[in-house]
């Protein structure tokens, strides 16, 4: 009886080995096509990459620049503008017409704060070529007309709308 069990185990192991050998794929090449796909979601926005710069006084800008990155992957153009311009640190010493912003990069525009509160149209093709806008700011007032040692600042919020 013991020999029969032993023979049965050997026969089962032999059959398993035989089945394993026959289950191997033959030596031949095959190919399979694989497709990777994805979709890109619509993006529209603005990112401050350099969120501060020095403010110039008088009729000339200095070399200090803030920078924003425009993000738009749909539509034909965007509307770019300053949605808020806060000059409260100056008190009543200046008006919005005394504040100027100049852009370089995607667009080159130099105008006062009142004009920047209106939309400026930028074509999407221009954004594709260069999506960074450098911003420079100045207050058209002589420094001798301002109080010394006060920290003057202009806080702005810039927005785009994609169309």
């Amino acid at each position: 009886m013991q020999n029969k069990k032993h023979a049965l185990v050997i026969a089962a192991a032999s059959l398993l080995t035989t089945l394993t050998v026959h289950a191997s794929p033959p030596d031949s090449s095959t190919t399979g096509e694989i497709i990777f796909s994805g979709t890109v979601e619509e993006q529209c926005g603005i990112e401050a990459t350099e969120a501060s710069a020095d403010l110039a006084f008088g009729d000339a800008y200095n070399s200090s620049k803030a920078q924003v990155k425009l993000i738009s992957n749909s539509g034909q153009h965007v509307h770019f503008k300053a949605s808020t311009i806060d000059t409260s640190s100056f008190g009543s010493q200046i008006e919005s017409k005394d504040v100027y912003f100049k852009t370089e990069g995607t667009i080159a525009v130099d105008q006062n704060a009142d004009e920047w509160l209106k939309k400026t149209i930028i074509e999407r093709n221009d954004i594709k070529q260069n999506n960074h806008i450098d911003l420079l700011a100045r207050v058209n007032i002589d420094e001798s007309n301002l109080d010394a040692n006060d920290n003057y600042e202009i806080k702005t919020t810039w927005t785009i709308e994609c169309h």
Side-chain angles (χ1 to χ4, degrees):
M1 184 79 151
Q2 185 74 348
N3 283 343
K4 283 187 181 183
K5 282 185 183 177
H6 189 60
L8 186 57
V9 169
I10 291 173
S14 173
L15 181 60
L16 190 56
T17 303
T18 303
L19 290 177
T20 304
V21 170
H22 289 286
S24 299
D27 273 356
S28 64
S29 297
T30 59
T31 60
E33 185 176 292
I34 297 175
I35 299 172
F36 296 94
S37 65
T39 58
V40 175
E41 296 200 16
E42 186 175 321
Q43 297 178 17
C44 179
I46 190 167
E47 175 187 339
T49 54
E50 294 289 329
S52 64
D54 295 332
L55 181 61
F57 298 97
D59 60 1
Y61 293 94
N62 58 30
S63 61
S64 182
K65 302 173 185 180
Q67 187 178 76
V68 294
K69 176 182 177 183
L70 302 180
I71 302 165
S72 174
N73 67 352
S74 66
Q76 297 299 313
H77 61 273
V78 301
H79 295 168
F80 176 70
K81 69 177 190 171
S83 52
T84 62
I85 301 172
D86 178 3
T87 60
S88 61
S89 70
F90 287 89
S92 61
Q93 298 178 82
I94 66 167
E95 298 176 17
S96 59
K97 66 178 179 66
D98 299 320
V99 178
Y100 285 81
F101 299 100
K102 177 180 169 182
T103 61
E104 298 172 345
T106 308
I107 58 170
V109 178
D110 185 355
Q111 56 192 14
N112 72 26
D114 292 336
E115 292 297 315
W116 278 112
L117 291 169
K118 301 172 188 172
K119 67 183 179 191
T120 299
I121 297 174
I122 304 173
E123 297 300 321
R124 185 158 174 262
N125 284 338
D126 294 335
I127 296 170
K128 285 180 180 180
Q129 292 175 13
N130 179 2
N131 65 343
H132 289 89
I133 295 178
D134 294 330
L135 294 160
L136 296 89
R138 69 179 177 90
V139 177
N140 195 23
I141 189 169
D142 191 280
E143 288 181 64
S144 64
N145 295 328
L146 297 171
D147 295 332
N149 299 318
D150 280 353
N151 186 29
Y152 296 106
E153 63 183 14
I154 297 174
K155 295 179 185 177
T156 60
T157 302
W158 297 85
T159 60
I160 66 167
E161 298 171 2
C162 298
H163 296 276

